[in-house]
Amino acid sequence: MAKTKRRSVLKLAGGAAAASMGGMAAILATGRMPAFAQQRTVHWLKWVDFVPASDALLRKEMLPEAEKALGIKINLETVNGNDLQPRVTAGIQSGAGPDLIMAFNNQTYLYANSVVDLTEIAEAVGKAQGGMYKYARAVCSDGKMFMGMPWAVIGGMIAYRKSWFEEAGAAKFPETWEQYREVGKKLKAKGRPIGQTLGHTFGDAPGFTYPYLWSWGGMEVDPSGKVIMNSKETLDSVKFMQAFWKDAHDEGGLAWDDTNNNRAFLSQTISATLNGASIYIETLRKPTQYMTEKGAPMHTDILHSPLPKGPAGQFGFHLLQSHMLMKYSKNQDPAKEFLKWIHTEKNFEKWFVSQKGFATPCTEKWEGHKVWTDDPVMAPFKVAAKLGQAPGHAGPPNAKAAEALSKYIVTDMYAKAVQGMPAEDAVKWADAELKKIYV
């Protein structure tokens, strides 16, 4: 019995070996590995989208399509936007982590030595889609390489309650900061203050404080990179902000992140806030849940406007998102294949349409898309990518500018001042902090 078993085992083993050799011969002949060995995985880390339908579209439809088309397994992980940068740092330090990671603004400059050059993909997409916006090119490329693949610009506009502003005497949105302050005084007196964060959060705080500074003529540095923060223009902006904050704002906004103002607006405790279009889109999504005090759907009473003008003009700083391919990644080729796939016009359009104008593409072709005419309330966001000013203005958006942004120096200057620090001291503090970076 033992012999029979042994012969059977040997025979089976011999057959398996022959089959294995035959299979290997077939693989060598075709140059292709069997399907189970071809499976490659790409780990993609991005923010939790403020338009939930877009993340649902990716998970349920687009990523399965990509996996089928490319033979790649794509693991999508989403986190709060404020948690992305710590994950980048952890991945670089450990030499392992997500293959593709979403970056905000000029964070790409901070990791230039730790990412793969994506110039070939970026230039191809730009050429096919009407050209890459100057803003996207500036914050994703140092002129030698694309450190991130431009994804989208989240336009920052003031969402405001039309009827409330009319009741306060503003038939249209105020054009200047002085006019905005006067209307804000009346609104706050009625229990409807302006809501604005001055906290350490990636979008709404710098999206407000940087353009505000520039509109007064203040700048962190001049074109040569010399720190010029301590100027009359900056001081004037801080002094005005101190009074503006007290007169017109919800003073609890100091501690807000990028979600608190959304909730405050939707609960009708603030009248206006700098934001992406997510507030408006949420009211469209749930028209019976979000109603005005008069019983009308709230979305019928929301409009959008760029930030007001200052003595030096009108500016905008809009959150630009890109994706970095990390050097430590062992899946660089499939990650590149995926980036090419999702950025083809047919595929990217699906995602873009699901955003309903919350995100503006980084190439000019999309300016003519019907998304912008389908809903006129979204029209102001159409040119966000075209008009965005890079942080570090009037200097280049380099690693030093990115470090200053990451440390919230501009935002903290205003936060310190509205909490009681003399304006002169707040400006001197910011100037000194910037000089530690621009040495």
Side-chain angles (χ1 to χ4, degrees):
M1 190 70 175
K3 289 182 179 180
T4 302
K5 281 187 176 180
R6 185 169 181 272
R7 289 193 190 100
S8 299
V9 169
L10 289 173
K11 186 175 181 181
L12 287 169
S20 177
M21 291 300 293
M24 185 58 69
I27 290 168
L28 293 173
T30 62
R32 288 161 50 184
M33 292 298 287
F36 67 84
Q38 290 181 1
Q39 187 68 51
R40 298 164 298 169
T41 300
V42 172
H43 181 180
W44 178 17
L45 178 67
K46 64 181 286 293
W47 76 339
V48 176
D49 206 302
F50 276 65
V51 182
S54 295
D55 278 347
L57 174 72
L58 287 172
R59 294 184 189 280
K60 295 178 182 178
E61 182 179 331
M62 293 190 68
L63 295 188
E65 287 179 5
E67 291 176 346
K68 184 177 179 180
L70 303 173
I72 295 170
K73 174 64 179 174
I74 301 165
N75 290 333
L76 174 61
E77 180 185 0
T78 55
V79 296
N80 182 287
N82 288 311
D83 295 330
L84 286 170
Q85 202 166 3
R87 291 286 297 275
V88 176
T89 302
I92 292 171
Q93 290 177 344
S94 66
D99 305 294
L100 291 171
I101 304 180
M102 179 175 279
F104 292 152
N105 302 314
N106 56 358
Q107 290 174 354
T108 49
Y109 282 87
L110 297 174
Y111 310 113
N113 295 325
S114 302
V115 298
V116 175
D117 184 2
L118 297 174
T119 299
E120 182 181 353
I121 300 174
E123 295 291 9
V125 170
K127 184 177 180 181
Q129 298 178 17
M132 188 79 66
Y133 284 120
K134 179 182 177 181
Y135 181 41
R137 188 176 291 275
V139 300
C140 292
S141 171
D142 60 3
K144 299 176 183 177
M145 64 179 283
F146 268 82
M147 301 160 289
M149 178 62 203
W151 174 248
V153 172
I154 309 303
M157 301 284 172
I158 295 180
Y160 68 99
R161 288 289 299 275
K162 179 176 176 250
S163 65
W164 290 1
F165 270 66
E166 288 174 348
E167 289 173 19
K172 62 179 183 177
F173 192 80
E175 293 185 2
T176 67
W177 291 113
E178 288 83 0
Q179 292 171 0
Y180 195 24
R181 176 183 171 188
E182 290 307 310
V183 174
K185 277 185 185 179
K186 297 175 182 177
L187 288 162
K188 187 171 182 177
K190 291 186 176 183
R192 299 167 175 174
I194 296 167
Q196 177 58 50
T197 174
L198 291 178
H200 284 196
T201 192
F202 62 88
D204 297 337
F208 176 81
T209 54
Y210 273 77
Y212 176 79
L213 171 68
W214 299 331
S215 74
W216 286 84
M219 300 176 201
E220 295 169 279
V221 298
D222 66 14
S224 71
K226 178 184 176 182
V227 175
I228 57 170
M229 190 69 148
N230 192 358
S231 67
K232 178 184 181 301
E233 292 80 6
T234 301
L235 182 59
D236 287 346
S237 79
V238 174
K239 287 181 176 178
F240 184 89
M241 177 62 81
Q242 287 176 313
F244 184 29
W245 187 263
K246 183 177 180 180
D247 290 344
H249 284 80
D250 180 332
E251 296 173 63
L254 280 163
W256 288 357
D257 66 10
D258 287 87
T259 65
N260 292 104
N261 62 325
N262 290 48
R263 290 195 291 269
F265 193 104
L266 292 169
S267 64
Q268 305 194 70
T269 60
I270 60 174
S271 57
T273 186
L274 180 78
N275 203 60
S278 54
I279 290 173
Y280 175 68
I281 292 171
E282 179 69 3
T283 61
L284 283 176
R285 195 166 73 94
K286 299 176 181 177
T288 58
Q289 178 175 335
Y290 299 110
M291 309 286 285
T292 71
E293 72 282 6
K294 297 176 182 177
M298 191 185 292
H299 70 80
T300 63
D301 195 38
I302 298 175
L303 290 177
H304 298 107
S305 172
L307 290 167
K309 298 175 184 176
Q314 188 174 33
F315 293 83
F317 168 30
H318 306 291
L319 180 76
L320 190 140
Q321 299 173 324
S322 62
H323 287 108
M324 300 182 296
L325 175 53
M326 310 309 296
K327 272 187 180 177
Y328 62 68
S329 169
K330 295 179 173 60
N331 304 294
Q332 293 180 19
D333 287 340
K336 287 180 180 179
E337 290 176 34
F338 173 64
L339 285 176
K340 291 176 183 177
W341 183 90
I342 202 164
H343 277 280
T344 58
E345 187 175 332
K346 180 185 72 171
N347 295 324
F348 189 80
E349 184 178 29
K350 293 180 183 178
W351 177 83
F352 167 59
V353 169
S354 76
Q355 289 274 289
K356 296 185 180 295
F358 178 68
T360 303
C362 294
T363 50
E364 296 192 28
K365 179 182 179 66
W366 302 94
E367 280 185 32
H369 198 279
K370 65 185 183 69
V371 159
W372 307 116
T373 53
D374 283 348
D375 187 349
V377 176
M378 294 301 302
F381 292 92
K382 178 172 73 172
V383 293
K386 177 180 283 187
L387 300 180
Q389 180 72 269
H393 170 73
N398 55 22
K400 293 178 180 179
E403 183 179 348
L405 176 62
S406 295
K407 290 181 176 178
Y408 294 96
I409 293 172
V410 173
T411 297
D412 280 352
M413 175 179 70
Y414 293 110
K416 289 176 183 293
V418 301
Q419 291 179 91
M421 179 182 282
E424 292 81 1
D425 292 346
V427 173
K428 288 177 183 177
W429 171 84
D431 190 80
E433 291 299 307
L434 286 169
K435 284 176 178 174
K436 294 176 185 178
I437 296 172
Y438 285 90
V439 291

